[in-house]
Amino acid sequence: MSKIPKLPTTTKENRPGPLNSRPFSRTLANGLSDADKKSLLLNHTRPLRSGAVTTVPAPRLKRAATAPSATIVPEKSAKIDKKPGSVAPKIPPYDYKARFNDLLEKHKAIKSEFNDLKDRHVEISDDYEKIKETVQTSATEKDILKEKLLNVHKDFKEKTSELQSLKIDFELTKHENEELQRKTKVLDEVTSSLKQKSLDLDKIQSEFDDLSRRHKSLQEEAEALRLLSEHLKKVSIEYDKLRLDYKEAQEGITKYKSEYEALQNILAGMYKDQRDLRNTVQDLKGNIRVYCRVRPPLESEASKPLFNLNVLDACSIEVEKIELLSSARKGKSQHSFTFDGIFTPHSSQEDVFAEVSSMVQSALDGYNVCIFAYGQTGSGKTYTMEGGCGKENYGIVPRSIDMIFNCMEDLKRMGWELTIKATFLEIYNEVIYDLLDSNKDQESHDIKMVNSKGNDVYVSNLREEEVKSSHDFIRSLSELSKVILSLQTNQSHIPYRNSKLTHLLMPSLGGNSKTLMLVNINQFDECFNETLNSLRFATKVNSCRTTKAKKNLTMVDTF
Ligand SMILES: Nc1ncnc2c1ncn2[C@@H]1O[C@H](COP(=O)(O)OP(=O)(O)OP(=O)(O)O)[C@@H](O)[C@H]1O
């Protein structure tokens, strides 16, 4: 909105009157009312009283509030002031001098007044010029303002028209808003109804899904039934076919059964022949067989001096020691021995068992078999019988157990039920210890005769344990080793144990048994004499020839 400059207020007082440089009288006459003019004329015509000063006050410019044109209204009528109470002496008409003086005075006063008026006129002219200038400036300003006013008017009009259009817009918007509100309300109602319908739809959808599932499952059941029915048809055909096959098979089974029995008889005959042959070979080898095994020095024993040991052939060795110190025994000590076989320091556990396994087979064929190791302490008896860690180091006992259980599997396939029981004992310091009995206070164990007729012996009060697998058995051996170890650490070791042992081995050595003895030796110089003793004892054993062994009645005889 344009600013309207404040115009200088043109009051009736300061507004320039129609004064100009025309003679005052005329001007005055023009500006005075008729009454004023009359009074002025009267004063001019009236003779001045002596001693009175007549002054004409400068007319003040005044414009009647209602008068459209400017008129000069003297503030006071141009009367000659008279002092109150003083009455001017009347100049007689003949007193020209007085009259002349009076006129002079009046002239003087009028002249002075004229001069005043003239000054006043100049002042007023200046004012007028100023006012004129102001009026011109004001007119310019007025024009500017007018123009501005016009602009403002124009703006105002535009704004008014804008306002109008805005009002119209507002009304329209208001109307639209109301319409929208109405529509929103309707929409809300529709939304809520849609929500409800959506819920209904969900419910219907879930019912539909349920029905679809049931329909599908019914379809599947129908398909399964159809397949089942087809399958049943096939089965029925196959069943008829199978019945025929079964009949044929039964006839075949009867035929095969008789053939099987015949084959079993042949097999049993073969077993018998094989056993007899093995036994013949055993007999030829002798019922007491003695093998010698030489153990290698351990790494820790590498510095120990060795005596000479020569393997002459598969069955003979020669041991030789040269005596250097004592003059009495000076010379060469050389001895040769022959056994059923020699196992050198290079022979493996497998090599040993290959020779021994025929004895285990004899046990399975129903003979009493005794396999034992003999030798001085540290010569390798435990290693030979039990073995070391790892399967390749297994000794005779675990390998025999494996063989027995493998054979059992064959026999089981032929319908046999078998039970294996084991006893463990140690003869130590002439006392028999039951190694399966962990009680410290064991019952005493004695070697007794089985019956008065034969030579068979048994050890009383020994604990028997059933062994169900070779693994269990190899259970048992590791525990046994621990027991032996603990016994040995508590008591001083007695290396030579033969009294009770000889007694226990009596039937094996001289009776109806097959006996295999392993004489273990080492090659250490310091052990030469002990080695010699062992070899001599083994030679004696080897020279024993028992009567031909008779087998006990065993399962294999029933074939
Ligand atoms: N053929 C062999 N090969 C390798 N090492 C062996 C052999 N024989 C024995 N040994 C080892 O020699 C050492 C003594 O053997 P072992 O314990 O079997 O003797 P031992 O005759 O049972 O002794 P002891 O009578 O004192 O019980 C053991 O460390 C054993 O592993």
Side-chain angles (χ1 to χ4, degrees):
M1 203 169 153
S2 57
K3 199 176 173 187
I4 304 168
K6 200 175 176 187
L7 293 170
T9 314
T10 313
T11 59
K12 291 160 196 164
E13 286 78 12
N14 64 11
R15 199 169 287 160
L19 296 175
N20 51 35
S21 55
R22 280 178 298 176
F24 176 65
S25 57
R26 228 176 87 197
T27 311
L28 203 62
N30 282 345
L32 295 178
S33 65
D34 290 343
D36 287 338
K37 280 177 193 172
K38 207 174 172 180
S39 166
L40 189 63
L41 285 172
L42 272 175
N43 282 335
H44 275 282
T45 55
R46 235 180 265 159
L48 291 172
R49 288 174 198 160
S50 60
V53 178
T54 308
T55 53
V56 178
R60 286 188 60 191
L61 298 176
K62 212 169 192 181
R63 194 174 172 187
T66 49
S69 58
T71 40
I72 297 171
V73 180
E75 247 175 17
K76 290 177 185 170
S77 57
K79 288 176 187 170
I80 297 165
D81 286 338
K82 290 176 190 173
K83 281 183 184 172
S86 69
V87 181
K90 199 172 174 181
I91 302 167
Y94 55 83
D95 194 355
Y96 288 107
K97 196 180 173 182
R99 284 178 68 189
F100 179 73
N101 285 334
D102 185 41
L103 281 172
L104 268 179
E105 280 297 317
K106 280 181 182 175
H107 176 256
K108 203 177 167 186
I110 287 168
K111 201 177 175 183
S112 155
E113 193 179 340
F114 175 74
N115 284 334
D116 286 346
L117 283 172
K118 223 175 154 183
D119 292 342
R120 180 71 181 149
H121 171 71
V122 172
E123 265 177 40
I124 286 169
S125 290
D126 288 347
D127 284 350
Y128 174 74
E129 284 305 316
K130 281 178 188 166
I131 287 165
K132 202 176 165 187
E133 203 176 303
T134 309
V135 166
Q136 273 176 358
T137 315
S138 299
T140 316
E141 283 178 357
K142 187 186 161 193
D143 288 344
I144 293 165
L145 287 171
K146 208 173 171 185
E147 198 183 325
K148 282 184 178 173
L149 192 65
L150 279 171
N151 286 336
V152 167
H153 268 291
K154 201 178 157 195
D155 278 358
F156 179 72
K157 263 189 182 173
E158 280 173 12
K159 297 290 175 199
T160 310
S161 114
E162 270 179 31
L163 191 67
Q164 280 302 324
S165 71
L166 278 171
K167 266 186 185 170
I168 292 163
D169 283 355
F170 174 73
E171 283 304 319
L172 277 170
T173 312
K174 196 177 163 190
H175 182 70
E176 277 175 11
N177 193 29
E178 281 168 4
E179 186 64 18
L180 268 173
Q181 275 183 345
R182 194 184 60 75
K183 281 182 181 169
T184 307
K185 203 176 165 192
V186 172
L187 206 67
D188 282 351
E189 283 168 14
V190 169
T191 307
S192 104
S193 132
L194 272 174
K195 266 186 189 166
Q196 186 53 45
K197 283 194 173 138
S198 167
L199 285 174
D200 292 349
L201 199 70
D202 283 353
K203 207 172 153 192
I204 290 167
Q205 181 67 44
S206 116
E207 282 172 11
F208 176 76
D209 288 349
D210 200 30
L211 280 171
S212 293
R213 270 195 298 275
R214 283 174 62 189
H215 176 70
K216 201 178 167 193
S217 108
L218 280 172
Q219 268 187 335
E220 283 169 4
E221 276 176 26
E223 178 64 15
L225 276 172
R226 192 182 64 75
L227 290 173
L228 197 69
S229 147
E230 279 179 15
H231 184 67
L232 270 175
K233 272 184 202 164
K234 280 185 196 165
V235 167
S236 168
I237 294 164
E238 275 177 25
Y239 175 71
D240 290 343
K241 212 173 141 195
L242 277 172
R243 268 178 64 174
L244 285 175
D245 289 351
Y246 176 71
K247 209 176 163 189
E248 278 175 27
Q250 262 193 334
E251 287 166 9
I253 284 169
T254 319
K255 195 177 146 201
Y256 287 131
K257 231 178 175 178
S258 59
E259 278 178 22
Y260 174 74
E261 275 167 14
L263 280 172
Q264 264 199 330
N265 284 336
I266 294 169
L267 188 70
M270 281 169 70
Y271 265 117
K272 193 172 179 299
D273 290 348
Q274 189 190 24
R275 206 174 52 241
D276 289 346
L277 278 170
R278 267 199 310 259
N279 201 41
T280 310
V281 174
Q282 297 276 338
D283 286 344
L284 287 172
K285 283 185 177 179
N287 283 340
I288 296 177
R289 272 186 276 159
V290 180
Y291 291 85
C292 175
R293 187 175 195 187
V294 186
R295 88 154 168 92
L298 304 176
E299 270 180 29
S300 57
E301 300 163 333
S303 59
K304 281 188 174 182
L306 305 177
F307 59 78
N308 289 333
L309 189 147
N310 304 315
V311 180
L312 303 175
D313 56 44
C315 299
S316 307
I317 53 164
E318 185 184 71
V319 291
E320 180 187 68
K321 190 179 177 195
I322 297 163
E323 301 286 348
L324 297 172
L325 299 172
S326 151
S327 56
R329 296 179 63 189
K330 210 171 180 179
K332 205 158 82 173
S333 173
Q334 193 181 48
H335 310 270
S336 57
F337 300 91
T338 299
F339 301 106
D340 291 284
I342 305 289
F343 297 113
T344 69
H346 305 293
S347 302
S348 66
Q349 297 284 62
E350 199 179 349
D351 296 334
V352 174
F353 191 69
E355 280 296 323
V356 172
S357 60
S358 59
M359 296 293 276
V360 181
Q361 185 59 55
S362 287
L364 288 169
D365 289 342
Y367 294 90
N368 286 335
V369 170
C370 171
I371 301 171
F372 72 97
Y374 179 89
Q376 73 172 106
T377 186
S379 58
K381 300 183 290 295
T382 309
Y383 183 80
T384 300
M385 296 307 286
E386 289 180 24
C389 295
K391 217 162 181 183
E392 74 275 8
N393 288 317
Y394 277 4
I396 291 170
V397 176
R399 283 171 194 266
S400 302
I401 300 300
D402 265 350
M403 188 173 164
I404 290 167
F405 275 92
N406 287 338
C407 183
M408 268 175 70
E409 288 305 310
D410 291 341
L411 292 171
K412 272 183 190 168
R413 273 195 286 275
M414 285 194 257
W416 285 92
E417 280 183 22
L418 302 147
T419 307
I420 294 198
K421 288 181 181 169
T423 57
F424 287 101
L425 64 89
E426 176 170 38
I427 302 165
Y428 195 82
N429 212 9
E430 285 304 296
V431 179
I432 295 174
Y433 294 95
D434 185 347
L435 297 179
L436 293 181
D437 191 351
S438 53
N439 287 333
K440 264 190 171 181
D441 305 320
Q442 290 187 6
E443 289 182 75
S444 63
H445 305 285
D446 294 316
I447 300 169
K448 293 186 173 175
M449 303 295 289
V450 174
N451 55 50
S452 55
K453 290 177 188 168
N455 286 326
D456 283 354
V457 293
Y458 73 97
V459 178
S460 64
N461 304 320
L462 269 188
R463 190 170 166 159
E464 279 186 347
E465 287 282 344
E466 189 178 333
V467 184
K468 292 193 169 138
S469 71
S470 60
H471 178 73
D472 289 352
F473 200 90
I474 287 161
R475 169 191 68 208
S476 163
L477 282 183
S478 63
E479 284 303 308
L480 179 65
S481 304
K482 284 182 201 162
V483 174
I484 292 169
L485 197 70
S486 71
L487 283 171
Q488 285 178 349
T489 47
N490 290 336
Q491 297 172 44
S492 62
H493 186 66
I494 297 174
Y496 199 74
R497 18 182 151 145
N498 60 4
S499 287
K500 277 253 163 67
L501 179 67
T502 326
H503 187 184
L504 190 63
L505 292 178
M506 193 179 70
S508 304
L509 295 172
N512 185 22
S513 295
K514 295 174 187 258
T515 303
L516 188 146
M517 175 180 163
L518 281 147
V519 58
N520 291 93
I521 58 168
N522 60 44
Q523 217 183 321
F524 301 126
D525 208 25
E526 63 190 14
C527 303
F528 183 75
N529 290 334
E530 200 70 59
T531 302
L532 220 52
N533 283 338
S534 295
L535 289 170
R536 281 175 184 149
F537 176 72
T539 306
K540 272 187 193 164
V541 172
N542 199 26
S543 64
C544 294
R545 285 290 172 253
T546 59
T547 53
K548 194 176 172 186
K550 284 180 193 162
K551 67 175 175 177
N552 300 318
L553 187 66
T554 64
M555 53 205 169
V556 284
D557 294 308
T558 59
F559 286 111

